[in-house]
Amino acid sequence: MQKIRNIAVIAHVDHGKTTLVDGLLEQSGTFGSHEHHDVRAMDSNAIEKERGITILSKNTAIRYKDYKINIIDTPGHADFGGEVERVLKMVDGVLVLVDAYEGVMPQTKFVVKKMLALGKKPIVVINKIDKPSAEPDRVVDEMFDLFADMGATDEQQDFPVIYAAARDGIAKLDLAQEGGDFQCVFETILKHIPEPEGDRENNTQAQVFTLDYDNYVGKIGISRIFNGVINKGDNVMLAKADGALVKGRITKLIGFHGLNRMEIEQAEAGDIVAFAGLETVDVGDTICDPSNPVPLDPMHIEEPTLTVVFSVNDSPLAGQEGKHVTSNKIKDRLESEMQTNVAMKLEVVGEGKFKVSGRGELQITVLAENMRREGYEFGVSRPEVIVKEIEGIKCEPFEHLVIDVPEELSGSVIERLGKRKAEMKSMLPMGQGFQRIEFEIPARALIGFRGQFLTDTKGEGVMNHSFLEFRPYSGGVESRSYGALVSMENGETLSFSLFGIQDRGVLFIGPQTKVYEGMIIGEHSRSNDLTVNPIKGKAQSNVRSSGADEAIKLVPPRGMSLERALEWIEDDELLEITPLNIRIRKKYLTESERKRHSRGSK
Ligand SMILES: Nc1nc2c(ncn2[C@@H]2O[C@H](COP(=O)(O)OP(=O)(O)OP(=O)(O)O)[C@@H](O)[C@H]2O)c(=O)[nH]1
Ligand SMILES: [Mg+2]
């Protein structure tokens, strides 16, 4: 048997998981000394690099002494929490990172709870000890309390602690020690993480935890082999979650080393490998021996909590900027997404309308962003939470929310959240004049809250939330308090007219921008919508006053990113997303139509 250790790196968003994995790759000598690689090398796709966050969990393997250590880097953002849950089943232990200043955050709680419940062996890494504000001792205590609260076994509670500045390649067991390197991380893994159970002599059992797609070989399943041996070319039985058994053949077996994947001939119990050849493979399926198929327990796949509707773009500017604009094209693209992304669901809800469900706004934004880069053009509706009946009671998703705000602003933020049905759970001083306040809040009430929160705290507040559970429906919550500035004309905006409008609210666009009737060009400073004419030129006069036009000073527009726009819109509004622009519009473009429909709905 090979000597193997399987670990996952888990933490709240940004606490340094991917950076730590860089260090593990580097200091194990897995990267050759001349091999070029980016920082946070595991964040390999474009959106991950741009945003500096991990979206998909990814695995790698390193060699340390005569051990192979399989490492799975997981995303920390709450929207991708389902990934973490699946990954945990594949490993025998975890490195739980926690920021030496921020301490325990919502997603720390989420991942620690899952990890403990699955009986995994933890190593706690207090990261970013280089931060001037770091309080590693306080954070160790917080972790200790968290483990106790979450029902850790005595063995789990007795976790080893490593102090690290992952970015600088520093790690040590004793905080007082000068310097230190990742040697202690490797040694702690070998010592504390159990070797994989299972045996190569048993009947084959491997479970798929992630899917990938390759244009040449098709669907790829990444899986942990729990028992037996898999050879390239083997005939196998695929046991599906619904109990069906499907025969197939492993056409390719792929091993991992550092950032590379290579074809291999054989892999055995304990290892993590990828394979191709089984086109019907899904997450959670077991690959078994055809003569004696014994499926493993199916995996819990998290349910979506949020939906939006993707639709064919029908704005007056439709078809001018995108390559793929038809209902069929959009449907095909969404269907192919569902092939590998198990956390999302798709339903056709009408002519050219597709309901996409997922775990949160970021997950949906990432899909929309990928699509626009691929040349798609489409509309997206306001996110809605999924309401479901549990034992005859109407329930909705609730979130655990943690905010850090300057003390003098905490009162106004608490009041704002109160109107949104948030229940305050605790309030603690954080040092440097900040307070940490925890709430439980309906997910519905968080839609659109971030923009408001950033405005209220002048960008100084930090908020984090993660899914808690479904609870009885909490009734109406306050939503956007401002109306929209809506264009009444088709054409191109002029500085002169925008200058006249800017006193009425905040503009989202500047001059020389294409607009149409029903398009939203800004936020009104009052609660009602206001139709405005942003293309009206100055009345011609005989005297040319060229100086006057230059005197027009426009306030810079508020740039609306995809996420911000998605949070901002109301039920009667839509986003128009094209490769070149993100526009916000009313569903009904003319004022008379809007009046008719709003009367109808009352
Ligand atoms: N000061 C300091 N910053 C660090 C350290 N380790 C990581 N960072 C920084 O923290 C940020 C987040 O690091 P990542 O490694 O992407 O964090 P992550 O946990 O993988 O984030 P997600 O995958 O999005 O959850 C980056 O800007 C890193 O440079 C550290 O030891 N000290
Ligand atoms: Mg990461």
Side-chain angles (χ1 to χ4, degrees):
M1 286 279 276
Q2 266 194 92
K3 290 179 171 174
I4 295 180
R5 291 291 183 272
N6 293 314
I7 58 161
V9 187
I10 58 175
H12 186 75
V13 65
D14 260 2
H15 282 192
K17 297 172 289 296
T18 308
T19 306
L20 183 91
V21 175
D22 271 354
L24 294 171
L25 286 164
E26 203 139 340
Q27 295 196 28
S28 61
T30 306
F31 285 150
S33 54
H34 298 295
E35 197 177 336
H36 171 79
H37 59 87
D38 295 336
V39 285
R40 298 195 299 275
M42 297 288 282
D43 284 347
S44 48
N45 81 44
I47 296 188
E48 288 182 323
K49 281 199 194 308
E50 271 171 40
R51 294 179 173 245
I53 58 163
T54 305
I55 294 169
L56 296 168
S57 56
K58 287 176 226 64
N59 55 300
T60 182
I62 61 170
R63 294 244 158 230
Y64 177 74
K65 295 185 174 164
D66 52 347
Y67 285 82
K68 177 179 188 185
I69 307 178
N70 289 310
I71 304 166
I72 312 181
D73 182 25
T74 66
H77 194 284
D79 282 16
F80 311 112
E83 291 258 319
V84 182
E85 210 176 331
R86 289 194 297 276
V87 161
L88 284 172
K89 259 193 100 176
M90 302 297 125
V91 296
D92 307 296
V94 296
L95 296 175
V96 196
L97 267 69
V98 58
D99 181 302
Y101 164 69
E102 286 192 352
V104 170
M105 293 298 271
Q107 200 64 6
T108 319
K109 290 190 183 174
F110 179 88
V111 297
V112 165
K113 186 170 165 191
K114 298 286 176 198
M115 170 278 287
L116 292 175
L118 288 163
K120 304 299 164 184
K121 199 82 210 284
I123 296 170
V124 169
V125 181
I126 309 289
N127 190 32
K128 308 200 188 183
I129 53 168
D130 58 293
K131 277 188 174 177
S133 54
E135 295 180 76
D137 293 330
R138 182 201 89 218
V139 175
V140 172
D141 289 346
E142 281 181 24
M143 288 300 270
F144 196 83
D145 292 346
L146 177 67
F147 275 55
D149 287 350
M150 300 262 169
T153 61
D154 290 349
E155 213 193 343
Q156 288 170 326
Q157 186 77 51
D158 194 21
F159 52 81
V161 177
I162 297 172
Y163 300 91
R167 201 185 48 189
D168 308 327
I170 291 173
K172 51 193 158 190
L173 299 174
D174 176 2
L175 193 53
Q177 184 199 327
E178 278 291 310
D181 62 26
F182 279 29
Q183 208 70 15
C184 65
V185 183
F186 299 123
E187 290 297 334
T188 310
I189 292 170
L190 299 193
K191 190 163 153 212
H192 289 272
I193 307 298
E195 65 177 328
E197 286 177 7
D199 201 312
R200 59 172 285 145
E201 302 306 326
N202 294 345
N203 279 329
T204 304
Q205 282 181 312
Q207 193 164 33
V208 178
F209 65 97
T210 303
L211 296 174
D212 204 347
Y213 190 84
D214 181 289
N215 283 335
Y216 297 101
V217 299
K219 237 172 166 182
I220 293 173
I222 304 177
S223 55
R224 155 98 186 249
I225 308 175
F226 287 91
N227 276 301
V229 175
I230 298 182
N231 295 292
K232 177 180 175 181
D234 272 357
N235 289 314
V236 294
M237 191 70 90
L238 192 63
K240 314 280 299 171
D242 64 3
L245 294 172
V246 184
K247 278 189 187 151
R249 187 164 164 270
I250 306 284
T251 54
K252 237 183 202 163
L253 201 58
I254 302 155
F256 298 89
H257 183 69
L259 302 179
N260 304 317
R261 292 180 172 200
M262 57 275 177
E263 277 203 55
I264 52 176
E265 295 299 315
Q266 189 186 68
E268 62 176 14
D271 213 348
I272 292 176
V273 294
F275 62 82
L278 307 175
E279 273 308 303
T280 57
V281 65
D282 277 315
V283 164
D285 291 355
T286 311
I287 295 145
C288 1
D289 211 310
S291 60
N292 181 18
V294 183
L296 294 160
D297 289 342
M299 263 184 218
H300 168 73
I301 306 242
E302 69 288 356
E303 312 161 68
T305 52
L306 199 78
T307 65
V308 297
V309 174
F310 279 62
S311 54
V312 172
N313 185 16
D314 63 355
S315 97
L317 300 175
Q320 297 182 13
E321 293 168 1
K323 252 195 333 215
H324 311 301
V325 298
T326 62
S327 173
N328 276 338
K329 286 274 184 190
I330 295 171
K331 180 161 175 257
D332 288 350
R333 176 62 181 83
L334 292 172
E335 276 173 350
S336 86
E337 182 72 19
M338 305 304 139
Q339 289 279 310
T340 54
N341 193 341
V342 288
M344 292 187 117
K345 295 218 158 48
L346 175 68
E347 198 187 324
V348 180
V349 287
E351 188 62 34
K353 286 198 165 42
F354 311 96
K355 194 182 206 176
V356 174
S357 318
R359 242 323 155 63
E361 285 152 40
L362 182 61
Q363 198 175 48
I364 285 162
T365 313
V366 167
L367 171 60
E369 186 61 45
N370 276 324
M371 285 175 66
R372 73 186 281 245
R373 285 171 196 218
E374 293 160 20
Y376 288 83
E377 178 178 316
F378 48 95
V380 173
S381 71
R382 177 178 208 253
E384 270 177 37
V385 303
I386 293 176
V387 175
K388 63 174 190 178
E389 275 209 6
I390 302 173
E391 290 164 5
I393 300 166
K394 190 174 163 193
C395 291
E396 63 174 332
F398 270 66
E399 303 265 325
H400 171 212
L401 169 71
V402 175
I403 59 167
D404 289 343
V405 285
E407 229 160 295
E408 66 276 12
L409 297 176
S410 58
S412 62
V413 173
I414 292 169
E415 192 189 325
R416 184 80 76 181
L417 280 163
K419 288 192 185 145
R420 290 182 180 249
K421 298 263 160 79
E423 198 180 314
M424 190 164 108
K425 289 286 160 187
S426 71
M427 179 146 101
L428 284 171
M430 278 294 281
Q432 298 174 346
F434 270 69
Q435 251 169 347
R436 169 162 299 176
I437 318 175
E438 305 200 19
F439 300 87
E440 289 174 6
I441 182 169
R444 201 159 37 101
L446 276 176
I447 297 173
F449 176 68
R450 188 179 296 271
Q452 181 80 61
F453 176 72
L454 290 176
T455 312
D456 287 351
T457 62
K458 299 174 188 66
E460 280 201 77
V462 177
M463 65 178 268
N464 278 285
H465 56 96
S466 74
F467 175 68
L468 203 57
E469 62 188 353
F470 276 87
R471 285 188 188 166
Y473 193 75
S474 63
V477 295
E478 184 183 74
S479 58
R480 195 175 82 204
S481 33
Y482 303 109
L485 296 172
V486 187
S487 172
M488 60 170 81
E489 290 287 350
N490 298 313
E492 225 172 71
T493 53
L494 292 173
S495 301
F496 173 78
S497 42
L498 292 180
F499 185 75
I501 298 168
Q502 69 178 6
D503 291 340
R504 314 302 293 266
V506 182
L507 291 176
F508 298 158
I509 55 166
Q512 280 100 52
T513 307
K514 276 190 200 162
V515 294
Y516 50 82
E517 179 177 15
M519 177 169 153
I520 296 172
I521 63 162
E523 184 176 81
H524 191 196
S525 53
R526 298 175 181 218
S527 63
N528 62 317
D529 293 345
L530 183 71
T531 47
V532 292
N533 184 347
I535 67 164
K536 186 173 57 184
K538 203 166 16 171
Q540 290 290 328
S541 71
N542 291 332
V543 192
R544 281 197 55 199
S545 57
S546 62
D549 213 39
E550 281 153 29
I552 290 181
K553 278 251 154 43
L554 288 175
V555 179
R558 179 198 289 171
M560 292 296 268
S561 64
L562 187 45
E563 257 147 312
R564 207 156 173 196
L566 192 65
E567 280 223 332
W568 188 84
I569 56 174
E570 288 289 335
D571 283 344
D572 63 336
E573 297 162 355
L574 279 181
L575 296 189
E576 175 187 1
I577 301 174
T578 81
L580 304 179
N581 286 294
I582 294 161
R583 301 190 185 92
I584 309 177
R585 56 169 279 194
K586 286 285 170 187
K587 273 187 188 160
Y588 298 107
L589 295 177
T590 63
E591 202 171 5
S592 60
E593 262 186 304
R594 288 199 289 279
K595 284 221 172 89
R596 198 163 64 238
H597 284 277
S598 74
R599 217 175 298 129
S601 70
K602 269 169 200 154

